Amino acid sequence: MNSRYLVLAPLLLAGVAAAQRTQPGVPASVWAQLPAEIPTAVLPTPDVAQLMLEDEARGHRPLRYGEVLEAQYDCDEYGLWDEAPDGSFVWRMRLHSAGAFSLGVVFDEFVLSPGEQVFLYDEAQENVLGAYTELNNQPNGQLGVEPFPGDTLVVEFVRQSWVTTPAALSIGTVTHDYRNVTSPTHFVGGSCLIGINCPQGANYQDEKRGVFRTLANGSLCSAALINNTNNDGTPYFLTAEHCGNMTNGTFAFNFEATNCSTSGGSTSQSISGATLLAADSSRDSQLYRMNANVPSGYAPYFLGWNRTNSSIGGTIVTIGHGGGNAKNMAVANGASTSGFNDWIVDWTDGYIIGGNSGGPLLDPSGRVIGPACCVNNFTCGSQVAWYGRFGRFWNADNLEQWLAPTGTAPTTLDGYDPANGPGPGSLDLIAVTPAVIPCLIPGTDKTIVLSGTGFTPQTQVAVNGVTQATIPANVQYVSSTEMRLDMPQVDSLGFATISVTDGTASDMLGVLVQAPTTPQLQTGNGDAGNLILAFSGLDLKYAGTPGDLHLVVYSTSSAPSDAPGIVSLLLGANFTNVPQVGVFAIPARGWDELNLPVSSVGFILTIYSQSVNLGSSSPLNFPLETSNLQEFQML
């Protein structure tokens, strides 16, 4: 790790154009002085005029914002590999599709191991997405990345030298955005759209939190989180079948204006990836489970449902992202059945347009009765809309197995709000501080602060799957939003997974474990002057760059030893008192330990220890690096 890494990290993270949950990291191209020239893949520029005509003819069903271009760039066959000064290997390539407002990358192979990171950035490195790590691995071995602004981006893949698994990264498709999904006011809209925070939305402020925007396969739709009889926050969601496959989709929550408008708002709260459970073209409906829990910081609401197949009277509403804009709604006086599979709705206030597809239709109690399918026209005041019937979808596709796992299948189910009390699903791990640590931290202050919500004194903390003990206390409950962890020694560099669990809810984040920038040494527990009993032997831990050799020395004198241009020690009385313990190699995990038998000395003797980095090759690189000084008392 380079010292510039830590200096530049806050600057780069401040410029991130992203929201998908990523881990700390800085592209190697920032600090490793890699060659500026890299291969460029020039992708086709689609015929935008023709695409626009096709969109109009299809009635924006669904709203297409981009043309999906086949890419198929495997890191073993394309791009450029370089070796960074720290020994890591870096693969880069540039993607360009002229005129695109943004580029959306889908990796058709994305299986990262600890010690591997992926970044996307522009050539000026003003916008950076990443680091994506093994924590972003999806069940299907793929990953969709949110649209990156501009028509050019660089993909960078970093592999630490100690990673032994084969590289598994391949770019499958790139979506050329021709409508500007990063600035949705460019999309088709309409004066008849009603913002969700207009007076008509006053009674739907809970339900709106369950509706989100989807981007998948170049199309933009709406969807809704949906509750199950366990009321446990399992991230099931309902959308329209015609919106296409959402497996590699990205999902933006709380994209809405703060006032009565359908413009403005932020798409910063997003997650990606889902698993298809059921799809039904006859009911234009599909059910998914997101691959990650929705963070409680997004304030999700899981909408209730109504399986009735009889006409519904009273005020009903729909909520969605018409035109790709901030959240909007429409209001009707009841819904009648149309044929066997559809609801038919005649709006009394507002209407829906492209982008509303998949958005939920809600009964007078705010329960979902189906997703948006089709309309007769886009004329304000005369639009008739059709929605798939949730009850028919339930019966035809056995939704009971997911949405009524308790064994009872009520006709109606109310929504579930994790924010109301500390029930299941409210636990959220938001940040781990520090986010980057060396693999060996001499001393006893190894505190990692966990910030989040829903913590209780019973919340368990695990590191790489190993639950940390509360007695002796290396886990401390501070408050419902903070816990403290005495970070244990881990056995590999890369991301260590910190997880919190409480009942049926859990969440996790990673802390990046790096080799230290300079050699590190620890005796005993690392405290200055700690007492070592002669019969137990001397415990030493030493750390540095994997592959380097470290010479460990000790002395009874803290007077320095200096050989100008060769090495400077903080012990040894000008090299007159410097016994050598031995030369030891740094393994792949970045640290190792040894125990030295010592003879009983019969009294307390102060001993000082240090290590010297001999490097990994010949000749030696002078002056030699030295570690911190450790002091202990031998009894």
Side-chain angles (χ1 to χ4, degrees), residues 28 84 93 101 129 212 272 297 310 320 406 430 473 505 525 548 556 570 597 615 618:
M93 74 173 299
F101 288 102
L129 294 181
F212 55 94
S272 66
S310 302
T406 54
I430 297 173
N525 62 13
D548 284 353
T556 57
L570 300 174
S618 182

Side-chain angles (χ1 to χ4, degrees), residues 5 27 37 40 68 111 133 164 176 207 248 258 277 305 309 311 345 382 399 418 450 479 532 548 552 624:
Y5 187 108
E37 294 299 319
T40 298
V68 178
V111 184
T133 70
T164 58
H176 175 113
E207 287 81 1
N248 294 319
T258 56
L277 303 178
W305 36 260
N309 285 308
S311 294
V345 181
S382 65
L399 302 192
L450 311 183
S479 69
I532 304 295
D548 284 353
V552 181
L624 299 174

Side-chain angles (χ1 to χ4, degrees), residues 253 407 477 543 595:
F253 288 81
Y477 170 79
N595 180 271

Side-chain angles (χ1 to χ4, degrees), residues 211-213 220 222 252 255 319-328 354-356:
V211 181
F212 55 94
R213 191 186 74 174
L220 185 153
S222 302
F255 175 31
I319 303 174
H321 288 279
N325 297 293
K327 203 169 293 178
N328 56 271
N356 282 111

